[in-house]
Amino acid sequence: MTDISSLRSEIDKVDEQILSLLSLRFKLVKEVGKLKRKDGKPLTDKSREEEVVEKWVARSRSLGIPESFIRSILPLFFSYSKMLELNPDEKRRVVIIGYGGMSRSLTSLLSLVGHEVVITGRNLSKASSLASEFRAVTMKMNEAIKWGEIIIITIPPDPIESGFIDETFPMMKEKTVMDITSSKARVFTYLERKSIEHSFRFVSTHPLFGPFLFPVGEKIAIMRSRTSGDIDDLVSFWSKAGLSPVLTDPETHEKAMSIVQVLVHFYMMGMDESIREASSIMGINPNLFETTNFREISKSLERVRSLSSVILEIQSNNPYAEEIREISINALKKVHEELLSDKKMNR
Ligand SMILES: O=C(O)C(=O)C[C@]1(C(=O)O)C=C[C@@H](O)C=C1
């Protein structure tokens, strides 16, 4: 009988082959990228992606590999391929203030695309451990700001508004400064005022994705301020980094976020709470009976739980939050009543 360790060494050999082939695939993809850039073609070719998926699914069927497995790994291939095909014409000196999840996500993208990225903040050892994960470096806050052309503030709205980085604003003179907060209500006005006082160019952004690596293909909301002037350069900066810019203004952004974030998170917090309560009342562990839908929803609930501080921050900062939660409760009541009256009719 073959023992586990000899089987594992066979697996290691197969893994080695998979990796060599993957590396070859990525090299070919980079060549495709060069041709696409030369011809001015878009990176995404949906019909080619569909063709690749069909080929893989057909082949995997004959090999007995589940279709769902193929369909879940191929989007990762395409997204990573597109990232390798990116190549900005112009390297920019980008400074990221802060070292949290969103800083990590943006650093992964901007450094891979070829920009020079410096991470800074009060705690340089945290900044440097993040920088070492990518092609990025650390500098003290004042040195970094002096060096950079584009400054991205990734710290949360409360510290921004309580003056945590106020001392750095005079050094930002004539630089381009962006924030990435999810709620623009107060931060926007604050930074716009500072940009007028200290003569820097302020453009507000909101990356519309969570703190994950290489977010190629995701959206970023971009909002002009009174000091931003023409923002074509920044729209191109973000598109060349693989994101899709959505041009908007703070008011529209807050209204949109009241639906996309406040409403959705509110329902999910309620769902999480009711699943816990119902499980305890029924004396049941629902995970033992999970359906596909339940599993997918549980994953989303888990994500919402892990981002709870940001989610609560949005619930408290969005100016439409109360109105939206009211609308949500009324909608739920309406569904409840409709279900009750349907039941009566069916009797
Ligand atoms: O064939 C291309 O056009 C590629 O860029 C390669 C590739 C792939 O990974 O197979 C990646 C992105 C495109 O949307 C389609 C296919």
Side-chain angles (χ1 to χ4, degrees):
M1 202 177 74
T2 332
D3 62 7
I4 287 192
S5 67
S6 57
L7 285 173
R8 282 187 178 156
S9 73
E10 287 301 304
I11 291 178
D12 288 343
K13 280 184 208 149
V14 174
D15 286 350
E16 184 56 40
Q17 288 176 29
I18 294 177
L19 283 172
S20 310
L21 289 173
L22 262 182
S23 142
L24 178 60
R25 189 181 200 282
F26 287 142
K27 276 189 196 128
L28 294 169
V29 159
K30 275 189 194 165
E31 293 305 312
V32 175
K34 279 187 201 158
L35 294 180
K36 279 188 185 166
R37 280 201 302 280
K38 200 171 114 237
D39 301 343
K41 285 194 180 145
L43 289 185
T44 302
D45 184 334
K46 272 281 162 219
S47 67
R48 170 65 185 158
E49 289 184 15
E50 277 160 22
E51 190 187 319
V52 174
V53 172
E54 267 168 35
K55 283 189 183 160
W56 274 61
V57 166
R59 180 77 182 113
S60 61
R61 236 179 242 142
S62 64
L63 294 168
I65 300 171
E67 183 172 333
S68 60
F69 172 74
I70 300 299
R71 289 193 185 276
S72 62
I73 60 166
L74 279 180
L76 277 177
F77 274 49
F78 298 139
S79 138
Y80 200 82
S81 298
K82 280 176 254 186
M83 205 165 58
L84 293 170
E85 290 178 35
L86 295 166
N87 190 8
D89 327 323
E90 207 192 332
K91 270 193 191 179
R92 307 295 297 266
R93 294 192 303 276
V94 184
V95 175
I96 301 189
I97 304 181
Y99 19 72
M102 287 311 289
S103 164
R104 188 158 180 263
S105 175
L106 295 176
T107 306
S108 72
L109 195 63
L110 297 174
S111 61
L112 193 107
V113 162
H115 293 297
E116 296 178 78
V117 181
V118 165
I119 303 172
T120 190
R122 292 273 160 93
N123 186 330
L124 280 187
S125 79
K126 282 191 183 164
S128 121
S129 89
L130 175 58
S132 65
E133 283 184 51
F134 307 98
R135 278 203 315 248
V137 291
T138 318
M139 284 184 203
K140 282 194 202 141
M141 199 107 96
N142 50 353
E143 285 168 15
I145 293 170
K146 216 161 101 193
W147 168 89
E149 295 167 73
I150 294 178
I151 321 282
I152 305 176
I153 305 169
T154 68
I155 61 175
D158 284 348
I160 295 180
E161 284 169 67
S162 55
F164 191 70
I165 51 162
D166 272 10
E167 65 191 47
T168 64
F169 292 138
M171 295 182 262
M172 294 183 184
K173 197 170 179 217
E174 277 158 28
K175 314 253 169 180
T176 294
V177 180
M178 293 185 262
D179 73 308
I180 59 155
T181 54
S182 338
S183 300
K184 299 298 172 192
R186 284 149 37 218
V187 170
F188 186 91
T189 329
Y190 187 83
L191 288 174
E192 187 177 55
R193 205 179 68 234
K194 293 287 170 191
S195 73
I196 297 169
E197 271 172 39
H198 298 283
S199 318
F200 60 82
R201 177 190 185 212
F202 169 56
V203 179
S204 195
T205 73
H206 178 203
L208 300 173
F209 46 88
F212 56 84
L213 291 182
F214 309 114
V216 180
E218 298 291 338
K219 293 184 176 165
I220 184 162
I222 307 184
M223 286 146 270
R224 295 180 52 163
S225 80
R226 280 196 276 162
T227 58
S228 60
D230 183 358
I231 57 164
D232 287 356
D233 61 324
L234 292 178
V235 170
S236 138
F237 171 80
W238 288 116
S239 356
K240 285 184 178 160
L243 300 184
S244 303
V246 180
L247 294 182
T248 183
D249 58 85
E251 176 68 4
T252 312
H253 171 268
E254 296 302 275
K255 284 186 179 164
M257 288 309 121
S258 74
I259 298 175
V260 173
Q261 296 189 307
V262 176
L263 182 153
V264 170
H265 295 158
F266 176 60
Y267 268 108
M268 294 189 81
M269 286 157 76
M271 198 194 296
D272 204 23
E273 184 63 33
S274 29
I275 291 176
R276 240 193 324 273
E277 200 145 322
S279 306
S280 135
I281 293 171
M282 300 285 171
I284 285 287
N285 174 2
N287 298 327
L288 296 176
F289 301 85
E290 66 178 19
T291 56
T292 339
N293 274 351
F294 189 84
R295 188 172 58 241
E296 290 304 319
I297 288 168
S298 299
K299 268 193 234 154
S300 305
L301 292 177
E302 176 63 43
R303 243 175 81 75
V304 165
R305 251 178 266 132
S306 73
L307 297 170
S308 70
S309 62
V310 177
I311 282 169
L312 291 176
E313 188 183 282
I314 300 167
Q315 295 285 334
S316 84
N317 286 341
N318 187 294
Y320 302 98
E322 272 178 41
E323 188 183 337
I324 281 292
R325 289 193 294 257
E326 203 66 38
I327 294 174
S328 310
I329 291 176
N330 289 337
L332 200 55
K333 279 187 191 151
K334 196 172 143 205
V335 173
H336 187 212
E337 276 156 23
E338 279 169 6
L339 290 172
L340 280 178
S341 62
D342 274 0
K343 203 167 174 185
K344 274 189 211 128
M345 272 168 44
N346 290 340
R347 258 186 210 145

